[in-house]
Amino acid sequence: MNIQNISELSKQLEVLGFHDAGSLLLKRICFKPAKFYLLQRVIKEKDTMLFSLYFELLQKTDNYRLQYYDVTLQKANGGLALPVDGVNPAELEKQMAAIDWKKAFSLDDKKSWNSEDKSTWETESRISGIIESLSILEKSELGKVIASTLKQKFWAGTLHQEIVGSIPLVKNKADVNQRFYISEDGSGITTDEAYRFLQNKYMEKQLQLKRKQSDSGDESIPEESNGTSGSGLLKKKRIAGRGKRNRVNQD
């Protein structure tokens, strides 16, 4: 295991904006994989940035190199304030924040319990209610996005795979993403620069959406003009037009 290489990678990540990643690199590199991903979560002005950093072992060496990273920007919005299928996401977030999930997912954490003493299984009861709420959310498209976001926020770094499996990455249509490559000298786009780039990309996406909605609205104006009978007049014109074409073909 090349400690100097790990130290250099850690310094490189620090410059790019990923702090205290040395121990995470150490845990992965000690198993000597040919390649691996390092997941990082960065908060910028209440927005969430999800990073997936790709490392690869250089041929005929024991050195790893950061090749690129993928990043998804999840904008902070009022989505968690609105109930979905009877579940209040904001309240569910508070409930999940009150649970020690590392301890909850630890299979080696033993404690005494008494079925007649609710205090000995109160935490598990709360977890059961949370899982039920997450299941309800996952029945709708919007709910799937919210449930996935909450799981990533509170379950990342725990042993959840052994109990509930992996976290499904459900993308919100409003999210924007990009891949940034790292040059051979180790320089690359920092997290701050990536945030500014994705902010601009998000704004561009919103403007395009507004244009589409505006264009769609313009197309409906002729049908709605001159009162509610506009659509009926258009239908009559289409029918008359087809009748003329049929007469021409018959002649």
Side-chain angles (χ1 to χ4, degrees), residues 4-23:
Q4 182 178 351
N5 175 232
I6 296 174
S7 178
E8 291 173 352
L9 288 174
S10 179
K11 292 178 181 178
Q12 178 189 16
L13 293 182
E14 192 76 28
V15 172
L16 292 176
F18 304 102
H19 307 296
D20 303 320
S23 62

Side-chain angles (χ1 to χ4, degrees), residues 91-103:
E91 180 61 31
L92 180 57
E93 184 178 25
K94 292 180 181 179
Q95 294 174 9
M96 294 184 72
I99 300 293
D100 184 345
W101 291 103
K102 285 188 177 180
K103 189 175 182 179

Side-chain angles (χ1 to χ4, degrees), residues 39 50 74 144-145 148-149 152 166-172:
L39 303 180
L50 302 175
Q74 296 180 335
K144 286 179 182 178
V145 175
S148 177
T149 301
Q152 291 175 39
S166 59
I167 301 174
L169 298 177
V170 182
K171 292 184 178 180
N172 190 331

